[in-house]
Amino acid sequence: MTIAMDTRHDPVREELVIYQNPSLFLKVWEVQSDKATVGIPEVWPWHYHKEVEFLAITEGRAGIQTKDDYRLQDYGDVMLFGSSQLHRIHKALPSPLRFIVLQVDLLQHFDQSSLPYLHCFSELTQPLSKLNYIFREHPEGREEAFSLVKDIYRESQERKRGYELAIGAAIKRLLLLLLRYDSRMMLQGDTELEVVRLRPALDYVERNLGGKITVEEVCGLLNLSYAYFIRYFRTTMGLSFIEFVNYKRVKKAERLLVTRDLSITEIACEVGIPSSAQFYKLFKRHNHCSPGEFKARMSGKTVGSGSIKSKTI
């Protein structure tokens, strides 16, 4: 089935995702529709969000469109949408439709041990939606992803002791699944030797986020020329050294906004950006909101925070 892709006549909405738990950077809930009306609506709005989305069909059939294609998804099917990717969904059968939506900022779930794979999922060169072939060509991978999404939803609802650990582990299992089943090698990882060579530079950045960081000092640590280091770092990590430093500074600022009672100016200084205007600009570039808006969102002072059981459409 072919559906024309034309956003001029359909509304397009940017969705602001309110995280249910500030430390997990995700929102997961179940959508259900028992309405008899099926088929493509006369007004069928597009939407997008900066978070990556996993959608798992738990009952019925859905029609899902992206800018690249249109697909019918049945029970057990999983679909992946990359950051800020336009998509829309409709009910395709008269029977009830239910699906789980997992929206997550994947980059927040990388630590020092998994950092070498950060650029694989950063979507610098291609959207993660390209990996949907995995769920079509590898049934075992699709089944495992479906099970993980359901587990994350269940843990978020039951909230038993340690549920944050369970959800964090499940998200890393999803990342591992994509890496292991990527038979087309669309996620290109680097060798451990290359990352080990850069380890002094990565540790230097971590230690000095609150102060001045210079490329020249890093080059001295690694005994590399300026030009060679710049090329080598980008090739290995998938982003420039400056982009990496800014990324780490923003991540630290996010943690401080959630865990410390500091002013925005104080946080900017804590992460090595003495200019408040520069800090605002950099933070908004990464999060599509101001530091103040981020803090309010994370503290539950905006509508939509808390546990979400289901949503009816």
Side-chain angles (χ1 to χ4, degrees):
M1 181 176 182
T2 301
I3 298 179
M5 167 66 175
D6 187 352
T7 62
R8 293 174 298 175
H9 307 299
D10 289 306
V12 178
R13 177 174 60 91
E14 180 178 6
E15 181 180 346
L16 177 63
V17 176
I18 308 299
Y19 301 134
Q20 293 153 287
N21 184 309
S23 64
L24 292 173
F25 295 90
L26 62 78
K27 177 182 177 182
V28 58
W29 75 103
E30 183 182 57
V31 178
Q32 55 184 334
S33 176
D34 298 317
K35 296 178 181 178
T37 305
V38 299
I40 298 171
E42 185 175 341
V43 178
W44 193 19
W46 296 91
H47 73 280
Y48 67 97
H49 37 76
K50 77 178 185 68
E51 289 75 13
V52 169
E53 179 176 315
F54 292 86
L55 190 150
I57 306 295
T58 54
E59 184 178 0
R61 171 179 288 183
I64 303 175
Q65 187 182 11
T66 66
K67 73 180 183 64
D68 298 310
D69 63 5
Y70 171 87
R71 291 187 179 274
L72 292 172
Q73 301 287 94
D74 295 296
Y75 172 81
D77 284 336
V78 178
M79 199 158 185
L80 171 62
F81 305 101
S83 175
S84 297
Q85 180 184 6
L86 286 173
H87 56 285
R88 53 187 183 178
I89 183 170
H90 73 88
K91 193 165 179 276
L93 289 176
S95 57
L97 170 65
R98 282 174 173 74
F99 55 91
I100 296 172
V101 178
L102 167 62
Q103 297 169 332
V104 57
D105 185 348
L106 285 182
L107 301 188
Q108 298 284 357
H109 290 267
F110 284 85
D111 52 29
Q112 287 297 103
S113 65
S114 54
L115 201 57
Y117 299 97
L118 172 66
H119 76 277
C120 296
F121 297 91
S122 62
E123 302 188 274
L124 294 174
T125 58
Q126 59 185 348
L128 286 178
S129 58
K130 296 288 186 183
L131 297 174
N132 277 309
Y133 83 89
I134 291 174
F135 306 132
R136 297 191 294 270
E137 298 179 6
H138 301 279
E140 63 276 24
R142 180 181 66 244
E143 291 170 8
E144 185 178 346
F146 182 73
S147 178
L148 286 168
V149 172
K150 288 203 303 180
D151 285 347
I152 291 170
Y153 175 64
R154 176 179 51 79
E155 289 285 353
S156 74
Q157 298 306 304
E158 296 178 354
R159 294 190 170 223
K160 294 179 180 178
R161 186 183 183 194
Y163 80 95
E164 300 96 336
L165 293 173
I167 289 177
I171 290 172
K172 288 195 173 183
R173 287 289 303 175
L174 278 172
L175 295 174
L176 177 61
L177 182 152
L178 294 174
L179 280 168
R180 292 277 175 86
Y181 283 99
D182 180 23
S183 54
R184 300 184 187 179
M185 300 302 290
M186 302 186 78
L187 298 174
Q188 292 290 343
D190 296 299
T191 66
E192 184 177 354
L193 182 61
E194 290 172 322
V195 176
V196 168
R197 191 179 184 188
L198 283 177
R199 180 56 59 189
L202 304 181
D203 292 342
Y204 165 82
V205 171
E206 197 69 36
R207 290 194 308 269
N208 293 281
L209 283 174
K212 187 177 181 180
I213 295 175
T214 67
V215 177
E216 289 77 10
E217 189 163 352
V218 176
C219 292
L221 288 173
L222 299 178
N223 196 27
L224 298 175
S225 70
Y226 183 97
Y228 182 83
F229 169 75
I230 292 298
R231 289 195 306 271
Y232 186 79
F233 192 94
R234 177 177 283 279
T235 300
T236 302
M237 300 298 294
L239 69 170
S240 72
F241 181 70
I242 298 302
E243 289 170 335
F244 174 77
V245 171
N246 287 337
Y247 169 79
K248 295 292 289 184
R249 281 178 164 155
V250 169
K251 296 306 113 182
K252 181 178 180 179
E254 291 170 354
R255 293 194 300 272
L256 292 174
L257 283 166
V258 172
T259 61
R260 300 276 298 278
D261 187 20
L262 299 173
S263 69
I264 303 301
T265 301
E266 289 172 325
I267 288 176
C269 290
E270 284 279 333
V271 299
I273 307 176
S275 166
S276 294
Q278 183 184 355
F279 174 67
Y280 267 92
K281 184 178 179 180
L282 181 63
F283 192 93
K284 196 160 189 176
R285 185 191 310 161
H286 281 261
N287 286 289
H288 306 289
C289 66
S290 70
E293 290 168 337
F294 180 89
K295 185 171 184 177
R297 218 162 82 195
M298 294 299 99
S299 63
K301 294 180 180 178
T302 55
V303 176
S305 60
S307 177
I308 300 176
K309 292 186 180 298
S310 64
K311 179 180 178 182
T312 303
I313 58 174

